[in-house]
Amino acid sequence: MPWIVGVSGASGTPYAAAVLRALLAAGESVDLVVSRASRLTLLDETGIAFRDSQWEGDLREWLSRGADGKPDTFDVDISGVRHWSAGDLAAGPSSGSYATKGMLIVPASTAAVAGVALGLSKDLLQRAASVTLKEGRKLVVAVRETPLNGQTLRHLVTLDDLGATVVPASPAFYAGATHIQDLVDFVAGRVLDVAGVEHRLYRRWKGDLGGARTT
Ligand SMILES: Cc1cc2nc3c(=O)[nH]c(=O)nc-3n(C[C@H](O)[C@H](O)[C@H](O)COP(=O)(O)O)c2cc1C
């Protein structure tokens, strides 16, 4: 069964790339939904124009990029990815009878947070998230916005009440980060921790203060 990965239009497309790479490296299959708005953030952050008609080449290019949006050395096999157009409300993940392990929204915009909390289903990403909740499957929401207004905070509480796990895209500094990619990988790793997917994206806390600086 696949994980649905929903990429919405918040800043933070490197978080999505890190999650996708790690899922594929772990042998997981992925159903990918890239919102219309996220194509703007992806273009802004990487220079890549994501096209439904050429998604394989565009995705390969995207996943080869590092946190700074520049070409890196990542070599990713995307054969485990199935892409669904964000406007396709007849897609598999639109129905609860389509079996999945759950859904990761990375990054999650405040608009996506609102849409899922209110059950709007305005596109496939929001519909798939509502389906994930109604089927009692795991939903992880990596919200990226700052500061947060009361409206978004209330929507996040609603999502938590409905059974989703909110993972703010806020990197920690105890894991010995030396590059931007380390900070990105920390957030991606915490998303995968909640999903229960094994990874080696960050150095876990071992109870030794300052340990990350000495090892
Ligand atoms: C360059 C850029 C950066 C953005 N960054 C954020 C962000 O960090 N968080 C957020 O909630 N919205 C952000 N937005 C606004 C969302 O893209 C917008 O609310 C959009 O409607 C989200 O739609 P979606 O949830 O369907 O993807 C950004 C927009 C642009 C163009």
Side-chain angles (χ1 to χ4, degrees), residues 109-174:
S109 69
T110 54
V113 165
V116 180
L118 298 173
L120 298 183
S121 294
K122 69 120 182 158
D123 62 10
L124 178 60
L125 187 151
Q126 292 187 13
R127 169 65 186 164
S130 290
V131 166
T132 300
L133 287 175
K134 87 180 172 74
E135 297 298 326
R137 297 174 188 147
K138 179 75 76 184
L139 176 66
V140 185
V141 179
V143 62
R144 211 306 323 167
E145 184 56 283
T146 197
L148 294 169
N149 64 27
Q151 191 179 39
T152 299
L153 290 168
R154 281 189 283 277
H155 289 148
L156 291 171
V157 170
T158 299
L159 289 182
D160 184 75
D161 288 346
L162 292 171
T165 303
V166 176
V167 180
S170 55
F173 292 80
Y174 61 72

Side-chain angles (χ1 to χ4, degrees), residues 7-11 35-38 40-41 44 108-112 122-123 126 144-145:
V7 184
S8 70
S11 176
S35 83
R36 288 176 63 86
S38 72
L40 290 179
T41 48
D44 184 61
S109 69
T110 54
K122 69 120 182 158
D123 62 10
Q126 292 187 13
R144 211 306 323 167
E145 184 56 283

Side-chain angles (χ1 to χ4, degrees), residues 21-198:
R21 282 193 296 262
L23 283 171
L24 295 170
E28 301 284 345
S29 50
V30 171
D31 276 25
L32 178 64
V33 182
V34 179
S35 83
R36 288 176 63 86
S38 72
R39 291 151 205 249
L40 290 179
T41 48
L42 185 65
L43 185 64
D44 184 61
E45 293 174 351
T46 66
I48 295 168
F50 190 92
R51 298 156 293 185
D52 286 344
S53 57
Q54 295 176 48
W55 70 269
E56 281 174 294
D58 295 339
L59 179 64
R60 214 174 275 116
E61 179 66 27
W62 175 19
L63 298 191
S64 74
R65 302 292 181 93
D68 57 3
K70 299 196 178 110
D72 210 315
T73 53
F74 299 113
D75 183 21
V76 189
D77 174 7
I78 63 161
S79 57
V81 180
R82 182 167 190 182
H83 169 263
W84 300 97
S85 171
D88 183 4
L89 287 164
S94 242
S95 170
S97 66
Y98 183 81
T100 71
K101 289 184 177 171
M103 179 169 183
L104 317 175
I105 307 180
V106 191
S109 69
T110 54
V113 165
V116 180
L118 298 173
L120 298 183
S121 294
K122 69 120 182 158
D123 62 10
L124 178 60
L125 187 151
Q126 292 187 13
R127 169 65 186 164
S130 290
V131 166
T132 300
L133 287 175
K134 87 180 172 74
E135 297 298 326
R137 297 174 188 147
K138 179 75 76 184
L139 176 66
V140 185
V141 179
V143 62
R144 211 306 323 167
E145 184 56 283
T146 197
L148 294 169
N149 64 27
Q151 191 179 39
T152 299
L153 290 168
R154 281 189 283 277
H155 289 148
L156 291 171
V157 170
T158 299
L159 289 182
D160 184 75
D161 288 346
L162 292 171
T165 303
V166 176
V167 180
S170 55
F173 292 80
Y174 61 72
T178 54
H179 296 91
I180 303 173
Q181 188 66 52
D182 299 329
L183 299 174
V184 168
D185 284 348
F186 179 86
V187 170
R190 296 302 285 139
V191 167
L192 293 173
D193 287 344
V194 173
V197 176
E198 280 191 30

